Amino acid sequence: MEIPYCDRFSPHCFFFFSVVFPQGEDNFTYCPATGLAKGNEHSEFAGWAFPFPGVFLMEEFISEDEESEIVELMDRDDWKPSQSGRKKQDYGPKVNFKKQRLKAGSFTGLPSFSKKIVAQMKACSVLGGFLPVEQCNLDYMPERGSAIDAHFDDWWLWGERLVSLNLLSKTVLSMSCDSEDSIQLFPTFSKGNGELSPPGSLTETSACKNSDEEGISCILSPRLVPSKEVTVAIHLPQRSLVVLYGDARYKWKHAIYRKHIEHRRICVTFRELSAEFSAGGRHEQLGKELLEIALSFQGRPV
């Protein structure tokens, strides 16, 4: 048993005890077009899939010119050393997650270049009413062995949706689950155009074929597997935006393995407030004050 990493100088994740997954190959890959996690070809789950809810992925969220400008502006400020070979820039309130204490501290808001990014988020269907109160920039480099262990982001302060913009290079977000529950897998087959069949058709009769007989119909029953045996790769193209919410936020941990950092990569993560700090919550007033600071877009890294 081991405690996954959480940066104590800029704590964003929930401390917990968990089994540490080896940094092997993920055995499923998320398909944005269907919302399914599909068993990888060379894994024991090839030919099987299951619905993987709580992920929104938009490719080319910003242009190449916008990306270059954003990174150039980031690099004008210092990058502070972080753990696991990363560097960071934080724009957010001062938080003690262990004691659940929060204050503005030296927080002066999100950076000016993020105003346009936040405005563009309104076009995303899953980001209605999203008001970021914190931004964390993380710099990954293969030469530093940059990575981040499997973790949940904190849910005392941070709300339902985690939003990340992936800059400079592609990578893979690896999802794993410690739940004692089982996952129901369904047999899959491809349509004529090569697309994976949607969830509603997964229980349909498939055609079994072998070298001796063709067209023998058979029914493949759903298969139950322990959640702990399943890992799902979410491929993040350069300049893509990913949102985790629902089960992907609260049931599945996310990680970035060293082998998936091939070039310099910058992750820009935005977080919203939890219900406790939102309208009607116990700390509504403090949340309102922090949002006013955040959305002034006059911040420098804290």
Side-chain angles (χ1 to χ4, degrees):
M1 307 294 282
E2 185 174 327
I3 302 177
Y5 162 75
C6 186
D7 190 336
R8 65 184 181 90
F9 295 106
S10 178
H12 303 128
C13 50
F14 181 78
F15 284 98
F16 59 94
F17 287 92
S18 68
V19 176
V20 175
F21 283 81
Q23 294 193 3
E25 294 296 328
D26 295 306
N27 45 36
F28 285 80
T29 297
Y30 177 73
C31 174
T34 62
L36 298 176
K38 179 184 178 183
N40 291 336
E41 182 179 352
H42 298 296
S43 80
E44 63 176 299
F45 302 114
W48 297 87
F50 67 97
F52 194 82
V55 179
F56 172 86
L57 181 65
M58 177 180 284
E59 297 188 23
E60 296 294 335
F61 181 74
I62 60 173
S63 67
E64 291 184 29
D65 288 344
E66 288 171 325
E67 177 186 44
S68 297
E69 181 181 3
I70 289 169
V71 173
E72 193 273 330
L73 291 171
M74 285 181 182
D75 285 341
R76 291 182 185 180
D77 288 315
D78 293 334
W79 289 91
K80 296 181 180 179
S82 184
Q83 296 188 29
S84 300
R86 291 169 290 136
K87 292 186 177 181
K88 63 179 181 178
Q89 293 175 343
D90 285 326
Y91 300 83
K94 186 175 182 180
V95 190
N96 185 322
F97 286 94
K98 187 174 181 180
K99 296 182 179 180
Q100 293 194 343
R101 294 179 181 174
L102 171 68
K103 62 181 180 179
S106 57
F107 179 40
T108 54
L110 304 189
S112 58
F113 63 79
S114 292
K115 188 172 185 178
K116 184 177 180 181
I117 298 173
V118 172
Q120 288 177 210
M121 289 180 188
K122 294 179 181 178
C124 301
S125 58
V126 299
L127 291 177
F130 183 80
L131 298 173
V133 73
E134 194 256 10
Q135 176 179 330
C136 180
N137 305 332
L138 290 174
D139 185 312
Y140 292 72
M141 288 283 283
E143 295 84 356
R144 299 196 301 263
S146 301
I148 189 165
D149 290 338
H151 66 281
F152 294 114
D153 278 36
D154 169 80
W155 50 66
W156 163 68
L157 177 58
W158 309 133
E160 166 84 6
R161 296 162 292 188
L162 305 176
V163 184
S164 292
L165 180 60
N166 187 60
L167 303 178
L168 295 183
S169 63
K170 65 180 182 179
T171 193
V172 176
L173 193 62
S174 295
M175 311 294 290
S176 58
C177 183
D178 279 350
S179 171
E180 296 297 330
D181 296 337
S182 294
I183 294 174
Q184 188 174 50
L185 307 181
F186 297 93
T188 63
F189 58 92
S190 296
K191 301 176 183 178
N193 60 6
E195 293 181 359
L196 192 65
S197 58
S201 62
L202 293 178
T203 56
E204 297 294 328
T205 302
S206 302
C208 293
K209 296 184 179 180
N210 55 41
S211 59
D212 298 319
E213 298 177 280
E214 293 189 358
I216 301 174
S217 68
C218 64
I219 297 177
L220 298 178
S221 301
R223 170 184 175 187
L224 286 177
V225 298
S227 297
K228 293 180 180 180
E229 294 182 6
V230 172
T231 56
V232 180
I234 302 175
H235 289 265
L236 304 181
Q238 185 176 347
R239 294 186 299 280
S240 64
L241 186 85
V242 64
V243 183
L244 301 182
Y245 60 96
D247 280 358
R249 162 77 164 104
Y250 296 113
K251 182 178 178 180
W252 293 80
K253 291 174 285 186
H254 53 277
I256 299 285
Y257 295 151
R258 287 176 176 83
K259 66 179 181 179
H260 291 141
I261 301 299
E262 301 175 357
H263 307 282
R264 187 187 184 195
R265 178 221 178 207
I266 291 178
C267 173
V268 186
T269 297
F270 299 90
R271 298 177 175 90
E272 64 185 340
L273 290 168
S274 67
E276 188 167 342
F277 294 87
S278 302
R282 187 158 58 104
H283 300 298
E284 174 183 357
Q285 186 56 39
L286 177 56
K288 183 178 179 181
E289 292 170 3
L290 291 173
L291 271 176
E292 287 179 356
I293 296 172
L295 300 181
S296 68
F297 295 102
Q298 298 177 358
R300 298 293 301 276
V302 296

